[in-house]
């Protein structure tokens, strides 16, 4: 289902670079203000298309994002984690994006040209990213407030296979021929419905309160069902709550559509991505974990027709293993209950996702999340989103229409259900 993994040597080199990354982060007080979890592209025989080009070459990619926290300087990371060939970035620029989340220009390639600044890498305008590695730009003095919309443009002069990408970004990007990294807009560009190699934007934190919250999840965390180009995923609403209360914490959305706790899916299993998606985030202080829906729903469905049914015992063991690893790094871990999904994806090619037996398993797992005491706190998304008259289903007012993913109102209700003091207990941000 997946492309081949990077060579062992490249993976080892990427691993060896981690301590240096943390040393630099500790000195400069970086926190992750925006994140897109990289994952490997899948083979063409999988039931869902990637909806992405196989490769880019002599093209500029412009990706739009919204920061969570602000700062006086920033740096940008590009990922070639699942690539098998070097990724050459000839030039990259950052700029404030024209328009806003609420107006008709939310999906636009236009930038404020006066705000455009070139990124550098070790003092050079470009960088070659080895297979299995990431590259982070030099710090750029660039004051940004919380919730600032930015565009990051990268010029790709050589063949760049999209073996590393992010599916279904809920944000339109743009592809244009030639080196247009600093152009005010990209006329004639093609729309991009996923993300390419852009991995994170970090800002300098408010020492000593520098703090990153990581949301590790699947398509519900990734924002499927939310209005595209409006930043209405539940981690976006969480970032807005923090900004409104003047809490200078970053939110790193590590959701991947199709992600699972125990198995590879449309991304590698949680144990194999916990290090780079969670533990490597500078000043990671809290983890909100919502995984397990696809572990329950995929087996026996059109997505994984030959897989054996999931059990509560296996899921609970997987949760405990992740909690232990996060606690070893002094992260607070918030467990999120799994929302109902009766009728999920009906009328689509993905059949067999839900059943009464799967719902019974979901409820059993939720009971453990609520009552085991294994987590530092619980976000009861199930209680918030379910229909009281039919608790196996999403409340119609919160249903995006596919009976699996919430809509904008549902995502906002989820964010409002997060107990903020529980995230920051015993930290410099505790109140």
């Amino acid at each position: 289902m997946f492309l081949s993994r990077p060579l062992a040597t490249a993976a080892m080199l990427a691993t060896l670079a981690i301590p240096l990354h943390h040393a630099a982060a500790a000195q400069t007080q970086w926190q992750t203000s925006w994140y897109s979890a990289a994952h490997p592209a899948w083979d063409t025989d999988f039931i869902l298309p990637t909806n992405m080009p196989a490769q880019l070459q002599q093209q500029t990619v412009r990706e739009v994002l919204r920061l969570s926290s602000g700062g006086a300087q920033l740096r940008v990371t590009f990922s070639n984690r699942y690539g098998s060939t070097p990724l050459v970035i000839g030039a990259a620029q950052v700029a404030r994006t024209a328009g806003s989340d609420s107006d008709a220009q939310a999906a636009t390639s236009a930038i404020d040209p006066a705000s455009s600044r070139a990124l550098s890498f070790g003092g050079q305008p470009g960088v070659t990213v080895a297979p299995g590695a990431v590259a982070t730009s030099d710090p750029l003095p660039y004051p940004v407030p919380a919730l600032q919309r930015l565009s990051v443009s990268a010029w790709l002069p050589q063949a760049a296979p999209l073996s590393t990408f992010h599916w279904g970004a809920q944000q339109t990007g743009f592809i244009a021929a030639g080196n247009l990294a600093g152009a005010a807009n990209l006329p004639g560009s093609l729309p991009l419905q996923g993300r390419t190699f852009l991995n994170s934007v970090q800002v300098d934190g408010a020492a000593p309160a520098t703090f990153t919250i990581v949301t590790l999840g699947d398509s519900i965390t990734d924002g499927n069902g939310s209005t595209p180009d409006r930043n209405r995923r539940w981690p976006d609403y969480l970032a807005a709550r923090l900004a409104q209360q003047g809490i200078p914490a970053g939110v790193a959305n590590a959701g991947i559509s199709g992600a699972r706790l125990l198995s590879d899916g449309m991304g590698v299993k949680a144990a194999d991505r916990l290090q780079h998606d969670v533990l490597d985030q500078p000043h990671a202080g809290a983890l909100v974990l919502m995984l397990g829906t696809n572990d329950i729903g995929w087996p026996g469905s059109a997505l994984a027709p030959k897989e054996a049914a999931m059990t509560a015992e296996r899921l609970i063991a997987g949760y405990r293993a992740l909690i232990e690893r996060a606690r070893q790094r002094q992260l607070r871990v918030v467990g999120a209950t799994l929302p109902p999904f009766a009728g999920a994806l009906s009328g689509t090619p993905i059949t067999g996702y839900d059943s009464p037996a799967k719902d019974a398993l979901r409820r059993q797992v939720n009971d453990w999340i609520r009552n085991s005491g294994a987590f530092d706190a619980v976000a009861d998304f199930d209680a918030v989103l379910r229909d009281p008259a039919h608790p196996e289903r999403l409340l119609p007012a919160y249903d995006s229409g596919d009976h699996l993913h919430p809509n904008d109102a549902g995502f906002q209700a989820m964010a409002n259900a997060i107990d903020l003091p529980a995230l920051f207990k015993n930290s410099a941000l505790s109140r």
Side-chain angles (χ1 to χ4, degrees), residues 170 219-228 230-237 339-340 384-385 394-415:
Q170 299 299 110
S219 57
I220 295 176
T221 297
D222 204 20
N224 285 28
S226 66
T227 302
R230 295 299 197 273
N231 293 302
R232 294 178 181 174
R233 312 160 189 85
W234 74 258
D236 298 328
Y237 283 115
V384 169
L385 296 173
L394 289 172
L395 188 70
Y398 289 160
D399 191 341
S400 67
D402 66 4
H403 312 308
L404 174 62
H405 301 101
N407 58 16
D408 294 350
F411 284 128
Q412 185 165 31
M414 292 171 68

Side-chain angles (χ1 to χ4, degrees), residues 283-297:
H283 289 92
L287 165 64
V288 183
L289 175 63
M290 188 177 68
L291 281 170
T293 297
N294 289 318
D295 296 77
I296 295 170

Side-chain angles (χ1 to χ4, degrees), residues 7 10 12 37 45 48 52 58 76 106 119 132 136 154 180 185 269 275 316 327 346 358 362 364 368 377 388 399 419:
L7 297 176
M12 180 180 69
D45 59 355
L48 295 174
M52 298 282 278
Q58 296 186 356
V76 177
L119 298 170
T136 300
L180 299 175
N185 54 59
K269 61 187 176 183
Q275 184 68 49
I316 290 169
R327 290 249 176 84
S346 59
K358 290 179 178 180
R362 180 190 66 85
Q364 184 181 358
W368 179 84
D399 191 341
D419 180 7

Side-chain angles (χ1 to χ4, degrees), residues 11 61 120 132 192 204 262 283:
V61 178
S120 63
L192 180 69
D204 57 335
L262 299 179
H283 289 92

Side-chain angles (χ1 to χ4, degrees), residues 22 67 85 100 183 194 196 205 218 222 264 352 378 401 431:
H22 281 294
L67 299 177
T85 59
S100 69
T196 58
D218 51 35
D222 204 20
D264 293 347
V378 173
R431 295 181 174 182

